[in-house]
Amino acid sequence: MEIPSNVFIFDTPEQLAVAAAERFVDYEYAFHGEPERFSVALAGGKTPRRVYELLATERFMHRVEWDHVDLFFGDERCVPPDHPDSNYAMAYESLISKVPIPAKNVHRIIGESDPEESAKLYENQLKTFFAGVSWPRFDLVLLGMGEDGHTASLFPGSDALAEKTKWVVATKPEGSMRYRITLTVPVFNQAARIMFLVTGAGKAGRLAQVLYPRPDAGPVPAQAIKPVDGSLEWLVDSAATPLL
Ligand code: 6PG
């Protein structure tokens, strides 16, 4: 089957991370000298860490006007900001603590307090930043995908996945003891650019299912990501592509 034109395959995760960092810098460059700020929703999990590390290197850091960048989070695990499972902690260690981004430009999801309250708080924070609009429009959204096809903290069959009005919700994945907080599908789909980062053989089957939807197979959350008026790119490594 023909590989969709918005799927970019890299031999190694490192090559993928370099390409993702290049894209970040290229997209941000368009905002240089402009009053608008470059708003980004960061992905969590393990795959994006290398992208964040690269953005904090000499090769990339100086090409970004960090005081014009606003970093948000697509989702968070309900843990303290220094917890090993915190997406904020991962982004802080690998990027935020290493680049000259003003603290006020980093919009953390409060993982350590009541999940419902934190979800409301983050929605209000987004509504303040993206004032006067029915939906926020991120300039760039980074997403990963789990082996079950979940993305951000939008898990198969969850209420969070079906949310149609809220911008941010708290959700407890099936079988998990811990809540998560996630932006919703309508929010992601308003973005100007969405970049999926997918590596590893464990995701090959799901990736093929997402890219080549079969009528007999139920939808998976990553398939719900369809930008209304924006671009969608899949950056994948060759280990994840044997079924394409
Ligand atoms: C999270 C992410 C989640 C992640 C996938 C893939 O908070 O965990 O938002 O959706 O992107 O689970 O995770 P890996 O990159 O670790 O494989």
Side-chain angles (χ1 to χ4, degrees):
M1 271 202 278
E2 199 184 334
I3 294 184
S5 60
N6 65 339
V7 176
F8 302 90
I9 304 176
F10 301 89
D11 291 341
T12 64
E14 181 68 13
Q15 287 172 356
L16 182 155
V18 169
E22 285 288 358
R23 279 170 168 79
F24 183 107
V25 168
D26 289 351
Y27 298 150
E28 187 270 340
Y29 184 75
F31 290 72
H32 286 199
E34 300 296 327
E36 296 85 25
R37 308 158 70 90
F38 183 61
S39 59
V40 182
L42 294 177
K46 293 184 276 309
T47 308
R49 177 189 279 269
R50 184 62 187 143
V51 181
Y52 304 158
E53 288 170 351
L54 285 167
L55 287 169
T57 60
E58 293 295 313
R59 178 177 176 182
F60 292 99
M61 178 194 326
H62 305 298
R63 294 160 58 190
V64 175
E65 290 183 352
W66 293 101
D67 58 353
H68 264 71
V69 173
D70 282 89
L71 297 179
F72 293 85
F73 289 80
D75 72 325
E76 184 58 282
R77 295 88 176 266
C78 289
V79 293
D82 56 358
H83 189 282
D85 294 342
S86 162
N87 286 337
Y88 171 77
M90 181 272 285
Y92 184 81
E93 286 155 24
S94 56
L95 174 65
I96 297 164
S97 60
K98 298 184 173 143
V99 297
I101 188 166
K104 66 177 174 40
N105 293 23
V106 178
H107 310 272
R108 176 172 81 85
I109 295 175
I110 309 294
E112 65 272 27
S113 52
D114 175 74
E116 300 295 344
E117 284 307 309
S118 289
K120 281 200 199 83
L121 194 67
Y122 206 61
E123 178 155 332
N124 293 340
Q125 221 177 319
L126 287 171
K127 286 184 172 170
T128 304
F129 185 87
F130 296 99
V133 294
S134 43
W135 294 105
R137 182 171 171 79
F138 284 100
D139 299 303
L140 176 63
V141 166
L142 300 177
L143 289 171
M145 183 186 75
E147 295 188 6
D148 62 355
H150 80 263
T151 189
S153 287
L154 301 166
F155 287 84
S158 64
D159 295 349
L161 182 62
E163 180 60 46
K164 295 279 181 287
T165 56
K166 290 184 181 151
W167 296 13
V168 187
V169 293
T171 181
K172 196 165 180 223
E174 217 175 288
S176 169
M177 296 300 294
R178 187 189 289 154
Y179 270 87
R180 290 172 171 232
I181 294 164
T182 186
L183 303 188
T184 57
V185 169
V187 168
F188 289 129
N189 285 343
Q190 288 299 326
R193 293 178 197 77
I194 300 176
M195 209 166 27
F196 270 101
L197 311 174
V198 177
T199 63
K203 298 179 182 177
R206 204 58 75 184
L207 182 64
Q209 182 186 354
V210 171
L211 295 177
Y212 306 127
R214 294 194 324 272
D216 61 332
V220 296
Q223 283 170 317
I225 304 300
K226 296 187 180 85
V228 172
D229 171 21
S231 69
L232 172 63
E233 294 179 302
W234 290 84
L235 278 61
V236 303
D237 73 346
S238 49
T241 61
L243 305 176
L244 299 190

